Amino acid sequence: MTAMTGEHAVEVRDLRLSYGSHEVLHGMNSSFRRNLITALIGPSGCGKTTLLRCFNRINERYDGVATSGEVLIEGRNIYEEGVDLIELRRQVGMVFQRPNPLPISIRDNVLYGYRLHTPRNLRDRAHEDQALESALKSVLLWDLLKDKLDHKATELRLEQQQKLCIARLLPLKPALILMDEPCSALDPDATEQIENLIRGLSSEYSIIVVTHNMAQARRVSDECAFMLLGEIIEQRRTEDLFVTPADNRTADYIEGRFG
Amino acid sequence: MSAVREQSHAVFQATAVTLANRSRERFAVRVLTLITTLLILPLIAIISLLVAKGAPAMSLEFLLAAPVAGMTAGGIFPAIVGTLWLVGVSLAVAAPIGILAAVYLNEYAGDNWVTRIINLAIVNLAGVPSIVHALFGVGAFVLFLGMGTSILSASLTLAIMTLPVIIASTKEALASVPLAFREACWVLGASRWQTIRHVVLPNSISGILTGVILQVSRAAGETAPIMFTGAAFYLPFLPQSVYDQCMALSMHLFTVSTQVPNVPEAIPYATALVLLGLVMSVNLTSILFRSYLRSRRKW
Ligand SMILES: Nc1ncnc2c1ncn2[C@@H]1O[C@H](COP(=O)(O)OP(=O)(O)OP(=O)(O)O)[C@@H](O)[C@H]1O
Ligand SMILES: [Mg+2]
C-alpha cells in the first residue's frame, strides 16, 4: 500500500465512465480534501451521482458500466487490481437520497455493518452496546430511541431514518462518507437537523455531499465543486465560488440561469 | 359583481355531459362487478356437484381403507398416501433446485446471452404439455437411468414439470424486494450472499412459498406424467420406499371413471372431492401462512 498522500481524501485522475455506449464522465481530474465537507453541485443529469458511486465502486453492481482511470482514496487507487471491494465499502460509507434503513430493528440496523466486518468470535454484547450508543449519540438519536431499540427502523419518521442511515456508517470508522442529496426527501426543519449533523461530523470524517440546493451547499460545505455535463468546471472554497465565480457557466448556474 | 354571482350558482353543478359520463360510469361498474361475481359460479358448481354426488360414498372407511372388489368398493387410502409421496418427493426436489436457480438468475447472473438463453429455456419448459414430460420421464428416468416405474421416476418427472414455474415465481418474488435494501447492504460492505441471506430472502419468503405451494395442486392433479413412470392402477399395499410404485388420487380417478366397469357412480365423485379437498387445504394453509408473514413485515 502506498503512503497516505497528505491533504486529499480522494484524488480523481482521468476518470471515464460510460453506461453502455453513453459516456457520462469524460476523463475527469479533481481532488477532495481530507476532513472537509465538499459539496457537489450541478444540473440534473450532469453525473454527480455517477461520480459519487465511483468512489465506492457500487456503479459496478449495475449492468453495462465501464470505468477507466484512477481514483485514489487514502492514497491507493481503488480501481487497481487487488483492491477488496468489501474492505473498500467498509471504509467509504454512503448515504442515499431516500433513507433506506433495513426492515429490521433499530439496533440491528446500526450494528449491521459492524457485525458484517467483525468475526463472530470477536463480537460481544458490551462492545456492540457501546458502538450502538456512541453511533446513535453522534446523530443525536440516542435520547429519543434508547428505549425502543428493538422497534423496526422502517417505522421511524423519515428524518430519523436518515439519521439512522448515517449512524450505521459510524461503527465502521469510515475514511470517507458520501452523501447523495441526503435531505431532498426531508422537510426544511429536518433538513436543518441533518445539515447540523453533517457539520458536526466533519471534524472526524471527510465528507462529499451532492446537493441540488445551493443554499444548502453554502450553509454546509467548506469547498464546493460545480459539475456540468460530466466535468468539474470549477472547484474552490465555497465562499469564493459563490461570491466570485471564475467561470461564466458557474455564475449562470448559481444565479439560476439554467437548472 | 352580479355577473360573478350569477355564474356562481352554476359552478359545480352537473352538466348534461357529466351526467352522461356518470351513467356510463355506473353501467361499467355494474358490468365489471357482475362478470367478476360470475367467476366464482363454476367453483361453487363444481364443489356442489362433487359433494352431492360423492356424499353417498364418503365415510371414514372410504378414506382409510384400500379398494376392494376390483375397485368397485372399499376406499382410496393407498391413493391418498401415494399422492402424498409423489407431491412430497417432487417438491423436495423441485423447490430447493428451483429456488437456488432463481436466486442465481436474479441475484448473480448478469444480463448476457447465456442468461437470456437460460431464461428462454425456462419459459419454454413451462409451456411443454404434461404428456411430453411423461414421455421424457419414461425415457430419462425409467429407462435410461434405470429407476424403473417407481415413485422416484414419477416424482422427478413431476419435479421437471413444476420446476420452471417455481423458478419464475421465485424470481418474481426476489425481484419485488426493493433495490434500496440491497443498496443499503452493498454500501456497508455486505457480499452478495450476505445480502441475499440477510435481506433478500427474508423479505421475499412469503412470495417464494406461495409460488412453491401453488405447484402442489399442479403436481397432485396431473395424471399423464405419473401414469407411465410410477403410478399403478391397483396396488393393495402401501409403498415402502421411493423405489416402489404407488397409487395416486388423480390416476385412481381416471381409472375408476373410465377403465373399470360397474363402479358405483359415487366413488369417482368422492375421489375427486378428496383430491380437491386436499389441494384446497394446502392452498388455504399457504394463504394463511403468507398473510402471517406479511403482517410481520412493514415497509
Ligand atoms: N444506471 C444507469 N444506466 C444508464 N444511464 C444512466 C444510469 N444512471 C445514470 N445514467 C445517466 O447518466 C447521466 C448522469 O446521471 P446521474 O444520475 O449521475 O446524474 P445526477 O447529476 O446525479 O442527476 P440528478 O441531479 O438528477 O440526480 C444521466 O444522463 C443519466 O441518464
Ligand atoms: Mg443524482
Side-chain angles (χ1 to χ4, degrees):
Chain A
M1 199 178 206
T2 27
M4 287 199 189
T5 48
E7 58 176 343
H8 293 301
V10 185
E11 280 181 65
V12 180
R13 293 184 189 154
D14 217 20
L15 181 65
R16 277 172 195 281
L17 183 143
S18 36
Y19 294 109
S21 58
H22 173 46
E23 190 174 85
V24 175
L25 304 178
H26 323 280
M28 171 180 288
N29 287 287
S30 174
S31 45
F32 299 85
R33 308 232 331 252
R34 188 190 305 282
N35 288 12
L36 283 189
I37 302 172
T38 306
L40 204 52
I41 60 171
S44 194
C46 71
K48 305 180 295 292
T49 297
T50 302
L51 178 63
L52 215 59
R53 285 166 178 259
C54 286
F55 297 165
N56 60 359
R57 291 184 60 178
I58 66 161
N59 271 327
E60 292 159 44
R61 283 283 170 104
Y62 310 98
D63 283 323
V65 179
T67 319
S68 71
E70 296 186 350
V71 174
L72 280 71
I73 294 182
E74 297 299 319
R76 176 154 195 209
N77 177 13
I78 60 169
Y79 282 92
E80 96 191 1
E81 232 171 277
V83 167
D84 180 48
L85 291 188
I86 286 173
E87 195 53 26
L88 172 68
R89 293 185 186 132
R90 181 176 77 75
Q91 298 195 35
V92 179
M94 181 172 250
V95 178
F96 294 84
Q97 192 163 347
R98 279 205 68 82
N100 60 350
L102 294 171
I104 49 181
S105 74
I106 294 170
R107 166 193 296 278
D108 291 342
N109 259 283
V110 177
L111 293 173
Y112 185 72
Y114 175 80
R115 286 173 179 161
L116 284 176
H117 299 281
T118 316
R120 203 174 279 277
N121 55 341
L122 295 184
R123 274 185 235 156
D124 63 67
R125 184 77 187 199
H127 259 100
E128 289 193 347
D129 284 345
Q130 197 196 338
L132 177 68
E133 182 171 341
S134 103
L136 284 178
K137 275 185 172 157
S138 310
V139 297
L140 311 176
L141 281 181
W142 177 250
D143 290 329
L144 269 168
L145 300 185
K146 66 171 184 281
D147 297 321
K148 40 179 182 172
L149 294 171
D150 293 320
H151 288 213
K152 271 209 167 169
T154 34
E155 288 163 10
L156 292 173
R157 293 218 311 275
L158 217 50
E159 93 251 15
Q160 295 177 340
Q161 292 188 12
Q162 192 64 305
K163 289 180 186 173
L164 194 75
C165 291
I166 297 175
R168 71 182 171 192
L169 305 175
L170 305 180
L172 300 176
K173 311 245 177 303
L176 173 65
I177 298 180
L178 310 167
M179 302 188 177
D180 193 354
E181 306 192 35
C183 303
S184 66
L186 306 179
D187 63 43
D189 216 38
T191 299
E192 191 185 333
Q193 293 182 39
I194 300 277
E195 285 176 5
N196 291 337
L197 201 66
I198 298 175
R199 285 234 63 96
L201 292 172
S202 72
S203 58
E204 285 179 71
Y205 303 95
S206 312
I207 298 173
I208 304 177
V209 49
V210 169
T211 173
H212 257 129
N213 177 336
M214 277 174 281
Q216 177 172 74
R218 280 187 90 153
R219 283 193 299 265
V220 91
S221 68
D222 305 295
E223 274 205 356
C224 188
F226 170 60
M227 244 181 112
L228 187 60
L229 297 174
E231 290 178 70
I232 290 190
I233 303 296
E234 189 170 349
Q235 176 174 9
R236 294 157 64 200
R237 272 190 50 209
T238 304
E239 252 333 279
D240 300 343
L241 185 122
F242 279 98
V243 177
T244 53
D247 193 288
N248 283 338
R249 291 166 293 181
T250 316
D252 285 350
Y253 182 72
I254 62 183
E255 279 160 32
R257 279 202 278 275
F258 61 89
Chain B
M1 196 62 204
S2 73
V4 172
R5 200 166 297 152
E6 201 97 65
Q7 267 183 2
S8 73
H9 80 270
V11 166
F12 305 137
Q13 288 279 331
T15 63
V17 177
T18 49
L19 283 177
N21 277 338
R22 196 194 301 164
S23 76
R24 258 180 241 131
E25 168 77 18
R26 247 189 248 133
F27 179 71
V29 170
R30 279 203 200 117
V31 170
L32 295 176
T33 316
L34 183 69
I35 290 178
T36 315
T37 320
L38 285 180
L39 279 178
I40 61 170
L41 282 185
L43 181 67
I44 294 174
I46 290 173
I47 294 179
S48 341
L49 180 74
L50 293 184
V51 170
K53 296 222 173 187
M58 193 58 79
S59 67
L60 202 59
E61 199 215 325
F62 182 71
L63 295 177
L64 295 180
V68 290
M71 289 190 273
T72 57
I76 54 168
F77 186 60
I80 297 177
V81 172
T83 290
L84 294 178
W85 269 93
L86 292 172
V87 171
V89 175
S90 71
L91 280 189
V93 174
I97 295 178
I99 292 172
L100 293 178
V103 165
Y104 175 76
L105 287 171
N106 201 63
E107 305 293 321
Y108 285 93
D111 182 22
N112 54 39
W113 63 270
V114 181
T115 330
R116 272 184 227 147
I117 288 179
I118 294 178
N119 280 319
L120 198 66
I122 292 169
V123 172
N124 281 301
L125 203 55
V128 171
S130 58
I131 186 72
V132 178
H133 281 294
L135 292 178
F136 171 76
V138 171
F141 302 123
V142 177
L143 299 176
F144 184 72
L145 293 176
M147 295 171 182
T149 47
S150 61
I151 292 180
L152 191 59
S153 296
S155 299
L156 289 176
T157 310
L158 286 175
I160 299 234
M161 189 186 76
T162 50
L163 203 50
V165 190
I166 291 182
I167 294 178
S169 63
T170 305
K171 271 174 64 184
E172 204 171 299
L174 295 172
S176 73
V177 176
L179 181 64
F181 290 169
R182 297 160 205 263
E183 287 177 331
C185 292
W186 301 346
V187 300
L188 288 166
S191 64
R192 273 180 203 259
W193 178 239
Q194 285 170 322
T195 308
I196 293 167
R197 232 182 49 221
H198 300 152
V199 171
V200 178
L201 285 180
N203 287 288
S204 55
I205 191 73
S206 62
I208 294 176
L209 288 180
T210 311
V212 169
I213 289 171
L214 277 179
Q215 290 310 299
V216 168
S217 3
R218 225 166 129 236
E222 285 287 351
T223 316
I226 58 173
M227 191 184 251
F228 311 121
T229 52
F233 280 97
Y234 176 65
L235 211 59
F237 41 84
L238 299 178
Q240 300 303 309
S241 76
V242 291
Y243 301 109
D244 292 341
Q245 294 189 40
C246 65
M247 294 184 75
L249 282 172
S250 54
M251 178 83 170
H252 188 64
L253 182 54
F254 168 72
T255 312
V256 292
S257 350
T258 63
Q259 306 293 301
V260 188
N262 304 326
V263 178
E265 196 197 39
I267 287 190
Y269 283 102
T271 307
L273 190 60
V274 171
L275 179 57
L276 198 66
L278 214 62
V279 165
M280 281 175 45
S281 53
V282 170
N283 287 358
L284 186 69
T285 318
S286 95
I287 291 170
L288 293 178
F289 187 58
R290 182 172 52 159
S291 63
Y292 164 72
L293 287 176
R294 281 255 171 91
S295 71
R296 287 196 330 167
R297 94 170 172 211
K298 291 203 189 72
W299 34 267

